[in-house]
């Protein structure tokens, strides 16, 4: 019996993003930006920064049991919106499941 990987959905990623921002209250942050969170939402509009990006990469890897190659040639580094992030993570999960 094999266990299925968690589904990659906008709602799951939004909750993960919000959690990363809330967990960083020690840096004088922890407040969510007053934006409508959805697929078209720009990550920068949420208050998300490069430190948060590294944190979310680790959280995504753990949650979806995948490895994200974090280098300049990877599409994950070019995402601008929550929807783009969801799409890239979905591709990595599908690739792992196909292997």
């Amino acid at each position: 019996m094999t266990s299925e990987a968690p589904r990659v959905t906008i709602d799951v990623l939004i909750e993960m993003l919000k959690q990363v921002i809330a967990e960083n209250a020690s840096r004088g942050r922890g407040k969510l930006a007053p934006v409508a969170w959805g697929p078209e939402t720009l990550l920068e509009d949420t208050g998300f920064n490069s430190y948060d990006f590294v944190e979310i990469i680790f959280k995504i890897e753990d949650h979806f049991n995948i490895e994200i190659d974090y280098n300049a040639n990877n599409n994950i580094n070019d995402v601008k919106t929550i929807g783009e992030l969801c799409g890239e993570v979905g591709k990595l999960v599908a690739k792992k499941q196909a292997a």
Side-chain angles (χ1 to χ4, degrees), residues 15-98:
E15 287 309 309
M16 293 172 84
L17 291 165
K18 287 180 177 181
Q19 186 178 24
V20 164
I21 292 170
E23 288 172 352
N24 291 321
S26 63
R27 294 179 313 161
R29 296 201 35 232
K31 289 188 177 180
L32 299 174
V35 297
W37 292 70
E40 300 302 317
T41 305
L42 293 172
L43 291 172
E44 67 183 42
D45 289 348
T46 67
F48 207 67
N49 63 30
S50 59
Y51 177 81
D52 296 327
F53 192 74
V54 172
E55 291 291 313
I56 196 66
I57 294 297
F58 292 138
K59 190 174 281 296
I60 288 169
E61 287 179 329
D62 288 345
H63 185 80
F64 294 106
N65 194 27
I66 59 174
E67 287 187 30
I68 298 174
D69 183 18
Y70 188 72
N71 68 50
N73 298 324
N74 193 328
N75 290 341
I76 200 85
N77 295 314
D78 297 327
V79 299
K80 303 278 187 251
T81 67
I82 294 172
E84 289 172 358
L85 179 62
C86 186
E88 289 302 317
V89 172
K91 288 177 193 176
L92 292 171
V93 170
K95 184 178 178 180
K96 179 175 180 177
Q97 289 175 337

